[in-house]
Amino acid sequence: DAGVIQSPRHEVTEMGQEVTLRCKPISGHNSLFWYRQTMMRGLELLIYFNNNVPIDDSGMPEDRFSAKMPNASFSTLKIQPSEPRDSAVYFCASTWGQRNTIYFGEGSWLTVV
Amino acid sequence: KQEVTQIPAALSVPEGENLVLNCSFTDSAIYNLQWFRQDPGKGLTSLLLIQSSQREQTSGRLNASLDKSSGRSTLYIAASQPGDSATYLCAVNQAGTALIFGKGTTLSVSS
């Protein structure tokens, strides 16, 4: 299996622009997670889906952030409008069930200038 | 609310040393605890997963222990090598939420 695939790997955008990050989980996994990592705050959960349904979105910073999972093989995280404080690495991860190993993608490195 | 703490934040050792990384958590009602490795510019790679009913897990030179009642886990690395240099994160898994991570310990092994 190719693992969790994220795109783009790197994105530099101007403040106010819309950013869309994409994730393809491992085939057969039924849970998908979006995390954000910064030096100051470490890894923070933004949202997670189970069987394509959002279960916990309490970590989504504000209305500028939205996430969708239209099917079992694809998810997006959208920021509109983007701000410099959104600069971070955004990780997607997936797993099967509640108690198994979770697999991470390589991350999307976002810089908002 | 579950909180995960890792001490120290950074550690430097000479090659060949055995070392221990620490992880503590505040709520013992967990399904399992996982240790991850993160290299600069990369994602997280799972190293070991310890279920709540287990006391330890081993993989090669790595040994992770879990004391759920005291809210502690350790990752023991034997005979450290420069290739072990990375950030090590622990995370707890519990009902109703996703993995909750510590901030990691950045390890540097010098040759």
Side-chain angles (χ1 to χ4, degrees):
Chain A
D1 199 309
V4 177
I5 299 173
Q6 292 187 244
S7 64
R9 287 296 318 279
H10 298 273
E11 172 122 0
V12 180
T13 191
E14 291 185 348
M15 182 173 62
Q17 296 297 306
E18 177 180 293
V19 174
T20 300
L21 308 179
R22 299 174 177 80
C23 176
K24 176 179 169 55
I26 292 173
S27 176
H29 285 186
N30 66 346
S31 292
L32 182 140
F33 311 85
W34 284 100
Y35 283 89
R36 178 172 67 177
Q37 186 177 41
T38 60
M39 288 290 292
M40 288 295 293
R41 301 172 69 93
L43 266 167
E44 301 175 286
L45 176 71
L46 297 176
I47 186 171
Y48 85 92
F49 296 85
N50 185 254
N51 294 321
N52 311 338
V53 175
I55 302 300
D56 182 358
D57 65 353
S58 60
M60 295 287 265
E62 49 200 86
D63 291 345
R64 297 185 298 107
F65 285 68
S66 62
K68 294 182 179 180
M69 191 165 186
N71 57 62
S73 59
F74 184 67
S75 177
T76 60
L77 177 68
K78 186 175 293 186
I79 308 172
Q80 167 63 21
S82 58
E83 297 181 2
R85 61 191 168 121
D86 301 330
S87 299
V89 186
Y90 292 82
F91 286 104
C92 177
S94 71
T95 189
W96 180 87
Q98 178 73 43
R99 307 183 188 221
N100 299 310
T101 299
I102 185 171
Y103 296 88
F104 279 76
E106 293 283 280
S108 292
W109 297 69
L110 174 65
T111 302
V112 183
V113 298
Chain B
K1 179 184 173 184
Q2 179 75 267
E3 292 184 4
V4 181
T5 303
Q6 292 187 246
I7 296 174
L11 181 64
S12 294
V13 301
E15 182 177 7
E17 243 186 51
N18 302 325
L19 59 101
V20 174
L21 307 181
N22 297 295
C23 172
S24 62
F25 48 96
T26 56
D27 184 350
S28 62
I30 64 172
Y31 286 147
N32 55 50
L33 182 144
Q34 300 181 39
W35 282 93
F36 293 85
R37 169 182 173 142
Q38 185 176 26
D39 292 292
K42 299 291 188 180
L44 281 70
T45 301
S46 180
L47 296 173
L48 290 163
L49 182 153
I50 313 176
Q51 300 292 354
S52 61
S53 58
Q54 297 175 319
R55 295 300 299 266
E56 64 179 277
Q57 282 285 337
T58 298
S59 176
R61 294 182 295 106
L62 305 180
N63 176 277
S65 68
L66 175 64
D67 184 342
K68 201 175 71 163
S69 61
S70 68
R72 296 184 181 185
S73 176
T74 62
L75 179 67
Y76 175 82
I77 303 176
S80 58
Q81 304 170 358
D84 295 329
S85 299
T87 297
Y88 292 82
L89 299 104
C90 71
V92 297
N93 187 8
Q94 58 187 145
T97 186
L99 284 180
I100 300 170
F101 283 84
K103 292 191 174 181
T105 295
T106 299
L107 173 65
S108 176
V109 182
S110 56
S111 57

